[in-house]
Amino acid sequence: MKFLISQRALTENDFQKLEQKYKFQEIAIGPYNILKEKETEVYDGSECKAFIDGYIRDFNVSCSQLGFQIESAIDLISKQWPVPNSISGSFSAAIIQESSGELIICNDAIGVYPLYYLTGEKGFYISNSLAWLGALSETAGDEVGLFQRAYCPEFANIGSRTILKDVKRLLPGEWIRFGKLGSILEKKYDNELYRELSKNISPSNYWQAFKKELSYCLAEEKNLHIALSGGMDSRLLIGGVPKNKKVFCHTYGDKDFYETRIARRIAGIYKADFKNYSCPQLNFPEKKIIEKYTLETEAVYINNWLEILEGQDLKKKESILVGDMTESLQGRNLPMKKSWKNFNHYYHGRKEYSLTGNTREKFQDWKRTIIGKYTGLASQKHIDRLKLNISEKNLKDEIIKDIEKLIDRIEAHNLAYMELVAELFSWFTHSRIPMGKQILILNSKFKAYCVPMSIQILRLTSNIHPGLRVGGRYIKSLFTSVAELMPGASVPTAQIPFVAFKSPEIFKLPIWFLRSEIDDFLIKRLMKSANPKKRYRLLKSFNWVKVYQQPQMETRLRSYFKKSYLGEEYTNAIIAGALARKDLKQWPLSNTNIINAAALNEELALIKLLTKNEI
C-alpha cells in the first residue's frame, strides 16, 4: 500500500530503484508525479484526491455507502481540523487539491500509520514508506534518529524524528497544508482528547458507540478475523462484532498454553472458528523473512505475529481486528501501583482514587524526569558503538528538542491530572510506534483495524474520568452490565487465572499476587541452577528460555548482521547479550531489542540497496 508524491519529474533511474522489488505504477494528479504500489487505492473527494492508510468513516452517511463516506470525510478533513464528531477512523491521509496544487497531510490523534515528508534542498516528497522516500530523495542518514532507534526507550524515534536527515514524521494529531512547491502554509493539531472529562458516561452508552464504530468499520466485510489473545481487549471486539459476520479467531502459542486455552474458550462462547499457531523458531526467523516483512511493512518488531502471518494462505486480504488500545479503557497507563494499601483503600474500601492535580511545578518536574530518562543513555560509549559522528552534548541537545516538541503536544491538551499526562505520553510513544507496528505488520496479509484507537472511541474513552478507569474498574462495569459481554466475563484472564473476570477483586487480587510471586520464585530458581529444563512458570505459557535454546538461534542471529550498518561494536554487543541469555547468564527476556536491531539494520540495507540500484 505504498505511495510517494513528488513535485519533480521522476526519471527512469527512479523506476529502476524500485521495479525489481515492488509492483508499482506511475500516475499524475494535479502538479504532482506519483509512484504507488499497484494495489494502493486513490480515493476521490469532490474537489481532491487522496491516499489513506487505515480507515476513515463519516457517520452522517449511511453505513452501507462506503464510497460516499470516504468522499465526504476527505472533503471535511481537507477543510476542518480537528474533525467533527461525525468523522471517525484510524488513519493517515495525503490529500491533493487538484485545482490549487495544495497538498494536505494529516493523521489521527495518536498517529499509528506513519506519513513522512521532506521539503527543502532535496526537493518535496510525501510518502508512507521511509524506504521509498530515502531511496528517491537520496537523503543521508540522521545520526540522532539512528541513536534513538538503537538505544532510546521503545527503540523508537521521538516525535517527528526519523532515521533520515530532514525527513519528518507527522506528529500525533498533526495537520499540515503545503503549497505546491513544498512550503508549509498552515499547521493545525487535534487536541480533543480528554476535552470533556465526565463521571457520567454510562457503560450502555459507551457500548452503543463501540458497536456503531464496528458496524461502520466492517460494513462491507463478510469474513472477519480477530487477533484473539483472551484478554479483555479482544473480548470486547468479539462481543461487539455484528452477528452476520463469519468470524475466524487467531492466536499465537501452543495449544496447551494457558493463554491459548482461555482464547479458545472465548471463541467457543461466541461460536467463532479458532486456530492457534505455534512456531517458536520464528522468534529468530531466517534472515529472508525479516527482509520480506521489512520490504512489505517496515514494521518488524514483535515476531510472535509471524507465527500467525506465516500460517496464512488467504487468496485476498480480509479484515482483522486488533484490540490492544483497549488498555486505555482499562487504565493500564495510569500510574497506580498494585499494592496492598491501594487494594485496601481503592478495591476493598471502594474509595475514590486520589489523583494528582496538574500544576506548572509538577508538570516541569515530570518533564525533567522524562528528559533524564531519554538523555541518560546518550553516552560516548554508545555513540562510539554505533560509530556516529556527533558529540555527546549535541546528541543530548537534539534528543531534548525532540522530546520537548512531543511534550508541547501533550501540554496543549491542558490536562487536569498528572496521571493523564503520563498516560498521553505513553499513547504518543508506546502506543504510537511499538504497538502500532503490530497493526502495520498484520497489514501484510490482512486489512488490520484497531477500532479502540479510532478517533471517536478514543475521544470517548479519554473523557471517562480517570478515577473510573484506573485499575480496570470501568471495563469491569462494561462486562458485568452489557448482555453481549457478560458471557466473556465468566472466563478468567491469563493474568489472573482460575477465577472468572467478573469475580470480586478481593478474590482476584490475591490470586494475581500469588501467581506473580510463584512465577518470580520459579524464574530465580531456574536462573540459579542455570538449567533451562526447569519449570518456567506456574502455568504453561510461552517460554523464552526455550526460544534462546533453539539450535539454529545463534546462526540466524549472526546472519542478521553479516553486513552491518550499525557499527561492529553495537552488533557485537547485541549478539553477546543474546548469547548471555542463551547461557542463562542474563534472564531471557523478550527479544524485541535484538529484533529491533536486526530490523533497523535491514531498513538501512534496503534504503542503501534501492538508492544505489544494487538489486
Side-chain angles (χ1 to χ4, degrees), residues 170-200:
L170 280 177
L171 290 167
E174 190 168 31
W175 181 101
I176 305 176
R177 181 165 61 93
F178 292 94
K180 61 184 177 181
L181 296 180
S183 59
I184 294 177
L185 304 178
E186 186 179 12
K187 282 188 179 184
K188 299 178 185 177
Y189 297 96
D190 182 347
N191 299 322
E192 294 298 301
L193 296 177
Y194 307 99
R195 184 67 68 189
E196 299 175 2
L197 286 184
S198 173
K199 294 184 178 180
N200 298 313

Side-chain angles (χ1 to χ4, degrees), residues 236-277:
L236 199 68
L237 292 171
I238 196 170
V241 167
K243 302 305 179 186
N244 62 339
K245 309 298 181 187
K246 176 64 176 176
V247 180
F248 302 86
C249 297
H250 308 267
T251 195
Y252 51 74
D254 197 71
K255 63 181 180 180
D256 59 350
F257 286 177
Y258 182 73
E259 294 87 346
T260 307
R261 289 190 279 123
I262 291 291
R264 182 180 286 107
R265 285 178 64 183
I266 297 297
I269 286 172
Y270 291 97
K271 296 180 173 54
D273 284 5
F274 178 84
K275 186 175 181 180
N276 67 288
Y277 304 78

Side-chain angles (χ1 to χ4, degrees), residues 59 204-214 457 460:
F59 292 162
S204 61
N205 287 344
Y206 186 95
W207 184 238
Q208 291 307 311
F210 194 86
K211 288 200 299 181
K212 182 177 181 179
E213 185 80 29
L214 277 170
I457 295 302
L460 182 59

Side-chain angles (χ1 to χ4, degrees), residues 81-114:
W81 197 262
V83 296
N85 286 335
S86 67
I87 300 297
S88 196
S90 177
F91 66 92
S92 65
I95 303 170
I96 299 171
Q97 297 176 319
E98 294 182 87
S99 58
S100 68
E102 292 181 354
L103 191 154
I104 292 163
I105 60 174
C106 57
N107 63 186
D108 60 67
I110 302 299
V112 162
Y113 296 93

Side-chain angles (χ1 to χ4, degrees), residues 114-295:
L115 197 52
Y116 308 102
Y117 62 97
L118 172 65
T119 182
E121 294 181 3
K122 288 283 186 179
F124 178 44
Y125 298 87
I126 304 290
S127 183
N128 62 348
S129 167
L130 201 57
W132 279 31
L133 199 158
L136 271 68
S137 68
E138 297 188 357
T139 192
D142 184 285
E143 296 194 315
V144 179
L146 287 171
F147 181 89
Q148 291 175 0
R149 281 286 305 275
Y151 280 113
C152 279
E154 312 285 6
F155 306 109
N157 288 128
I158 305 165
S160 62
R161 179 80 63 172
T162 72
I163 59 174
L164 296 177
K165 191 172 181 61
D166 299 322
V167 176
K168 299 183 183 299
R169 176 175 173 167
L170 280 177
L171 290 167
E174 190 168 31
W175 181 101
I176 305 176
R177 181 165 61 93
F178 292 94
K180 61 184 177 181
L181 296 180
S183 59
I184 294 177
L185 304 178
E186 186 179 12
K187 282 188 179 184
K188 299 178 185 177
Y189 297 96
D190 182 347
N191 299 322
E192 294 298 301
L193 296 177
Y194 307 99
R195 184 67 68 189
E196 299 175 2
L197 286 184
S198 173
K199 294 184 178 180
N200 298 313
I201 300 173
S202 70
S204 61
N205 287 344
Y206 186 95
W207 184 238
Q208 291 307 311
F210 194 86
K211 288 200 299 181
K212 182 177 181 179
E213 185 80 29
L214 277 170
S215 65
Y216 267 79
C217 177
L218 304 172
E220 294 194 330
E221 308 299 327
K222 294 181 179 178
N223 293 337
L224 175 64
H225 303 260
I226 298 179
L228 189 70
S229 66
M232 305 318 296
D233 47 6
S234 50
R235 293 185 206 196
L236 199 68
L237 292 171
I238 196 170
V241 167
K243 302 305 179 186
N244 62 339
K245 309 298 181 187
K246 176 64 176 176
V247 180
F248 302 86
C249 297
H250 308 267
T251 195
Y252 51 74
D254 197 71
K255 63 181 180 180
D256 59 350
F257 286 177
Y258 182 73
E259 294 87 346
T260 307
R261 289 190 279 123
I262 291 291
R264 182 180 286 107
R265 285 178 64 183
I266 297 297
I269 286 172
Y270 291 97
K271 296 180 173 54
D273 284 5
F274 178 84
K275 186 175 181 180
N276 67 288
Y277 304 78
S278 183
C279 192
Q281 59 266 34
L282 284 172
N283 284 277
F284 283 100
E286 295 179 74
K287 186 176 188 291
K288 66 182 181 181
I289 292 178
I290 290 182
E291 291 174 344
K292 179 177 77 169
Y293 285 99
T294 298
L295 190 75

